[in-house]
Amino acid sequence: MAGYPALAGSFWLAAPGVLACVLLSVGLLLRWHDAVTAALVLAGGAYAAFLLLAERDAIDTAAPLVAAALVGVAELSHWSLERGPAREPAPLVVRRALRLVFVGLGAVLFSTLVLLASYAEVGKGLAVEAAGLAAALGVLTLLAFVAWWRGRV
Amino acid sequence: MAALVFELPELAALAAPFALLALVGLLAAEAPVLRVYASLEPDVSRDQVRGHARVGQVHGAARALEGDSVELTIDVEAAGPIERLELMLTLPPAISVLEGENPAVARLAPDRPWQHRLLLRCDRWGTYELGRMVLRAQDGLGFVRHELEIARPCSLKVFPSSEALQLLLRPLETQVFAGNQVARQKGDGIEFADMRPFVAGDRIRRVNWRASARRNELWVNEFHAERNADVILFLDSFTETRDGAASTLDLAVRAAAALAGRYLRHKDRVGLVSFGGLLNWLTPATGPAHMYRIVDALLDTEVFVNYAWKDIDVVPRRMLPAKALILALTPLLDERAIGALLDLRARGFDLVIVEISPIPFAEPGSSESDRLAYRIWQLRREALRARYERAGVPVAVWRQGQGLAGALEEVERFRRHAPRSRV
């Protein structure tokens, strides 16, 4: 995933990818949560830079896979860093692994749906832009509210 | 937002799964409702294997001997499903897990309570409160964790393991009540003492017919009376030397428990004086219930650092009955205890010192001066023992790994030959 921009032709974006891999390794080895988070942000940022700066003719159809990979890496690294019993019961491990697979598949599916929605002909104009902005702000507000509410409960 | 600004739908596709996961995870997470019960049971199966059941329940508290194992059962019921529940039991250092996982993890369903069993080994004597635990519940997507520290107290009393004792020190003086000790006084008993001419009132059954036939007059046998004795266990808890799990105080407590048990079985009255930073005492009494009182008092024995000077006057007079045998269990390290013991001897008490040797717990050191200091320290200890012996106090050295019976035999040998004297 970190090497995807470089493989797609933007070789100059290999450096952040390598740095993300190093940060992730260091974070996992030293059980340093911040390094893992920084590695994920860096990898996502490298992909965003690739989308912004690379010369492309069409939408990058691999975006859902990149999103799923990011989700998968985040989940797996979090699992690795978790402090818990030395030996977990096998059924729990299997359940968690299956859940991870489903989360990954769900991420691909949902990301694809979002990408497909961008193809929809809904016209252009200030109203559509405003609606899009409102939707994005609404999602962020909703997330913030739910997080605040959960924190109180 | 960036997707809209830069017209890059891929960015929206990249962020969408994270947003959805966060939203679903936060909405689905619920605070768990748990019911937790803990119970402590003796590990009966192991006791049966060993051929005897030593562990039981007394006054709501489980009790066990050092080295025994007990089973702690924790039942957890959840009102709703919990994807992952971690349970960590906080254990005192002297209790170790023999079987079972700690921390443990499980998935809980409302209709399926989780029973977690832990087989615990009691490594050291003492009174412990088990059942303090930390529970950490996590929802399906792992976004919210609820952590709870609770206590379901289960008292566990671990009694010190008993030292094998065949021989008991006989006190020089006995008391007036019937017991198993052969008294110096003559009276009703079975141990032959002497013969004397018959006087009016003597029982016919006491007439020694063989002696009477030789002397042409009636002679009767006299016997030693069988009386009980008062034994005071004097535990020096001013200081201790420790090497890992073992210490001089541990040994002293084990010896005290063994001696108390044996003397009480002989119908003697046993008292306890814990002479240290904290003074504690138990008046002399007899009977099986008193054994539990003594062991309970021993379990509370700890070394409290205290710089106040204490002498024997702080011990209540009724704690030191006349003609009592005082068995001091001491490492002979603290000047206050050393002085108090000499004071007891000066007051005419029948004093015996079992020295819990601190030497195995102390390393000589690597440098020449360290080794020299170590030798001087040993010589000073020998001088101290000689001082006690000059005062007519037998000092038996008891080392870790040796039998207590050997130390007591040393005392008996001293008593056979040494004159009784006072300082």
Side-chain angles (χ1 to χ4, degrees):
Chain A
M1 186 200 71
Y4 173 72
L7 290 173
S10 302
F11 297 108
W12 53 275
L13 280 172
V18 171
L19 188 61
C21 287
V22 171
L23 264 176
L24 186 67
S25 309
V26 169
L28 290 177
L29 281 172
L30 302 179
R31 304 189 70 82
W32 188 12
H33 287 260
D34 292 344
V36 172
T37 311
L40 290 168
V41 170
L42 196 62
Y47 180 64
F50 161 72
L51 292 175
L52 269 171
L53 303 173
E55 289 180 4
R56 295 177 297 118
D57 306 333
I59 287 174
D60 185 16
T61 49
L65 292 177
V66 175
L70 264 179
V71 169
V73 171
E75 284 284 337
L76 281 172
S77 48
H78 176 68
W79 193 356
S80 307
L81 293 178
E82 247 181 18
R83 286 193 186 276
R87 203 175 54 198
E88 295 210 10
L92 276 185
V93 177
V94 171
R95 273 184 69 87
R96 191 164 183 178
L98 281 175
R99 197 169 60 240
L100 197 65
V101 171
F102 284 127
V103 164
L105 288 175
V108 172
L109 192 67
F110 188 61
S111 190
T112 309
L113 283 173
V114 170
L115 208 58
L116 284 174
S118 69
Y119 285 104
E121 289 292 336
V122 289
K124 287 198 170 183
L126 195 62
V128 176
E129 292 288 331
L133 193 64
L137 280 173
V139 169
L140 284 176
T141 312
L142 183 66
L143 270 175
F145 172 74
V146 172
W148 169 79
W149 174 65
R150 269 290 159 220
R152 284 190 65 190
V153 174
Chain B
M1 299 278 278
L4 285 169
V5 172
F6 298 112
E7 293 187 346
L8 287 171
E10 295 97 325
L11 286 181
L14 195 67
F18 286 97
L20 183 71
L21 267 175
L23 196 64
V24 172
L26 287 170
L27 284 172
E30 279 187 12
V33 179
L34 295 169
R35 279 186 291 274
V36 183
Y37 311 95
S39 62
L40 199 58
E41 294 291 331
D43 181 22
V44 180
S45 58
R46 283 178 182 245
D47 285 327
Q48 281 171 351
V49 169
R50 286 197 304 228
H52 55 282
R54 295 189 295 185
V55 196
Q57 295 271 336
V58 167
H59 305 307
R63 62 186 170 93
L65 280 177
E66 268 181 313
D68 276 347
S69 52
V70 289
E71 192 178 69
L72 181 71
T73 308
I74 302 166
D75 291 290
V76 187
E77 291 174 21
I82 296 175
E83 188 56 36
R84 181 185 168 86
L85 181 76
E86 288 174 27
L87 185 151
M88 193 180 82
L89 191 74
T90 312
L91 290 172
I95 305 288
S96 55
V97 178
L98 209 60
E99 277 177 32
E101 294 286 325
N102 187 36
V105 62
R107 180 177 174 270
L108 263 71
D111 54 340
R112 273 193 315 175
W114 176 40
Q115 191 172 69
H116 183 51
R117 288 169 190 273
L118 281 171
L119 197 62
L120 305 173
R121 185 186 147 85
C122 312
D123 293 327
R124 185 182 183 261
W125 55 267
T127 306
Y128 304 104
E129 281 292 337
L130 304 178
R132 187 170 291 279
M133 61 192 94
V134 178
L135 291 161
R136 191 190 287 162
Q138 188 176 306
D139 67 302
L141 289 171
F143 273 84
V144 180
R145 277 183 179 176
H146 295 271
E147 200 167 295
L148 183 68
E149 191 172 346
I150 60 165
R152 295 287 178 270
C154 299
S155 292
L156 174 66
K157 284 184 175 177
V158 181
F159 292 170
S161 58
S162 192
E163 286 288 328
L165 275 178
Q166 297 296 326
L167 172 95
L168 272 181
L169 279 179
R170 288 169 57 184
L172 294 176
E173 303 281 350
T174 50
Q175 302 294 324
V176 292
F177 299 107
N180 285 352
Q181 304 282 1
V182 178
R184 285 166 181 270
Q185 294 82 14
K186 290 164 189 167
D188 286 334
I190 55 171
E191 288 284 331
F192 177 79
D194 203 353
M195 285 194 309
R196 62 167 171 78
F198 181 87
V199 291
D202 278 339
R203 290 182 184 175
I204 299 297
R205 61 185 289 194
R206 292 250 175 128
V207 173
N208 187 329
W209 295 110
R210 196 181 294 260
S212 302
R214 279 200 205 105
R215 289 173 173 81
N216 280 330
E217 60 175 337
L218 284 174
W219 279 67
V220 289
N221 288 337
E222 286 184 314
F223 296 91
H224 284 295
E226 288 185 354
R227 299 276 186 260
N228 78 331
D230 282 354
V231 180
I232 305 296
L233 299 168
F234 187 93
L235 200 66
D236 172 8
S237 58
F238 274 114
T239 186
E240 65 172 341
T241 46
R242 178 169 284 280
D243 179 19
S247 76
T248 50
L249 184 68
D250 285 358
L251 293 176
V253 165
R254 278 182 207 135
L259 288 165
R262 288 286 294 175
Y263 277 112
L264 286 172
R265 255 175 269 152
H266 274 71
K267 298 178 188 169
D268 294 325
R269 294 200 312 160
V270 179
L272 177 75
V273 176
S274 179
F275 192 64
L278 200 71
L279 184 70
N280 193 11
W281 67 83
L282 208 59
T283 47
T286 189
H290 193 60
M291 180 64 203
Y292 286 108
R293 281 195 287 273
I294 287 178
V295 175
D296 278 346
L298 286 172
L299 294 185
D300 294 335
T301 308
E302 280 181 59
V303 172
F304 286 94
V305 178
N306 190 335
Y307 297 103
W309 182 261
K310 284 182 183 175
D311 56 21
I312 205 65
D313 288 335
V314 297
V315 180
R317 291 184 72 84
R318 64 195 165 90
M319 269 313 303
L320 302 168
K323 300 179 183 176
L325 166 68
I326 298 180
L327 258 166
L329 300 155
T330 169
L332 290 179
L333 288 170
D334 193 279
E335 286 297 326
R336 291 166 288 187
I338 292 168
L341 291 175
L342 283 169
D343 199 0
L344 278 174
R345 184 71 195 106
R347 292 175 190 211
F349 282 102
D350 177 16
L351 177 66
V352 169
I353 295 176
V354 176
E355 181 198 332
I356 316 292
S357 178
I359 290 171
F361 298 95
E363 292 291 325
S366 53
S367 71
E368 185 58 37
S369 56
D370 285 349
R371 285 197 291 273
L372 183 65
Y374 188 74
R375 284 204 299 275
I376 291 171
W377 178 60
Q378 283 183 312
L379 285 171
R380 286 186 65 177
R381 294 188 64 80
E382 276 180 32
L384 181 64
R385 278 195 286 273
R387 187 177 166 197
Y388 278 116
E389 284 170 0
R390 277 198 305 276
V393 180
V395 182
V397 182
W398 184 41
R399 288 189 172 83
Q400 192 181 13
Q402 291 179 346
L404 182 59
L408 298 181
E409 179 56 43
E410 213 176 305
V411 174
E412 281 291 335
R413 201 167 56 242
F414 178 90
R415 280 184 155 188
R416 263 180 239 130
H417 306 292
R420 291 195 68 200
S421 62
R422 287 192 180 192
V423 287

